[in-house]
Amino acid sequence: MARHDFDPATVQPDGRPAAKATLFNAAGEGPWRGSVPGLDLQGPVTVLAYGTDEIGVGPRLHVHPYDETFIVVAGHGRFFVGETVIDAAAGEIVLGPAGVPHKFENLGPGRLQTIDIHHSRTWIQTDLEEIA
């Protein structure tokens, strides 16, 4: 299906060059595989890669002053966003709105792998619970 949502003549490039950065080393260890601040690419978002093979494990409860979008790349996760609980599987996306505390965990079986998009040029976070 061809798309024609806008007239390209109405948008002028802002002069930024195309850019590239490494998000993670595919052979790397640990759940936090890497992050790329939007500042490094002169872009509007910061991107993180997270993954774990441990069932029931995930980032602790935290909050951001901006939206965060979670893309489930592999596995099954349970997302706690404010008072809402959302189960999501590979290919699904979850939104954590600005100012709403959130966390997620691996439901299994197998690995949970996410790409987390912080709608900010830098990663800004306040943790609301300690590591157990």
Side-chain angles (χ1 to χ4, degrees):
M1 176 175 110
R3 295 186 60 151
H4 301 283
D5 296 332
F6 74 102
D7 178 358
T10 64
V11 178
Q12 295 300 313
D14 63 11
R16 289 179 296 156
K20 175 183 170 182
T22 300
L23 178 58
F24 64 89
N25 174 349
E29 296 292 324
W32 290 106
R33 304 292 295 280
S35 65
V36 175
L39 291 171
D40 288 2
L41 294 175
Q42 297 183 38
V45 299
T46 295
V47 181
L48 285 71
Y50 177 87
T52 184
D53 295 307
E54 294 184 61
I55 307 304
V57 172
R60 67 184 106 176
L61 186 69
H62 61 277
V63 65
H64 309 285
Y66 49 76
D67 290 348
E68 183 174 8
T69 301
F70 306 95
I71 302 169
V72 181
V73 178
H76 297 86
R78 176 161 290 151
F79 293 78
F80 302 87
V81 183
E83 299 298 317
T84 304
V85 178
I86 300 170
D87 290 351
E92 296 181 315
I93 297 173
V94 175
L95 174 68
V100 177
H102 56 271
K103 67 179 183 176
F104 60 89
E105 62 186 32
N106 184 2
L107 285 179
R111 183 172 186 80
L112 171 64
Q113 184 68 55
T114 65
I115 298 296
D116 308 338
I117 302 170
H118 290 237
H119 296 243
S120 171
R121 297 185 77 187
T122 59
W123 183 0
I124 305 165
Q125 176 171 310
T126 296
D127 294 332
L128 301 174
E129 66 184 14
E130 298 298 320
I131 294 177

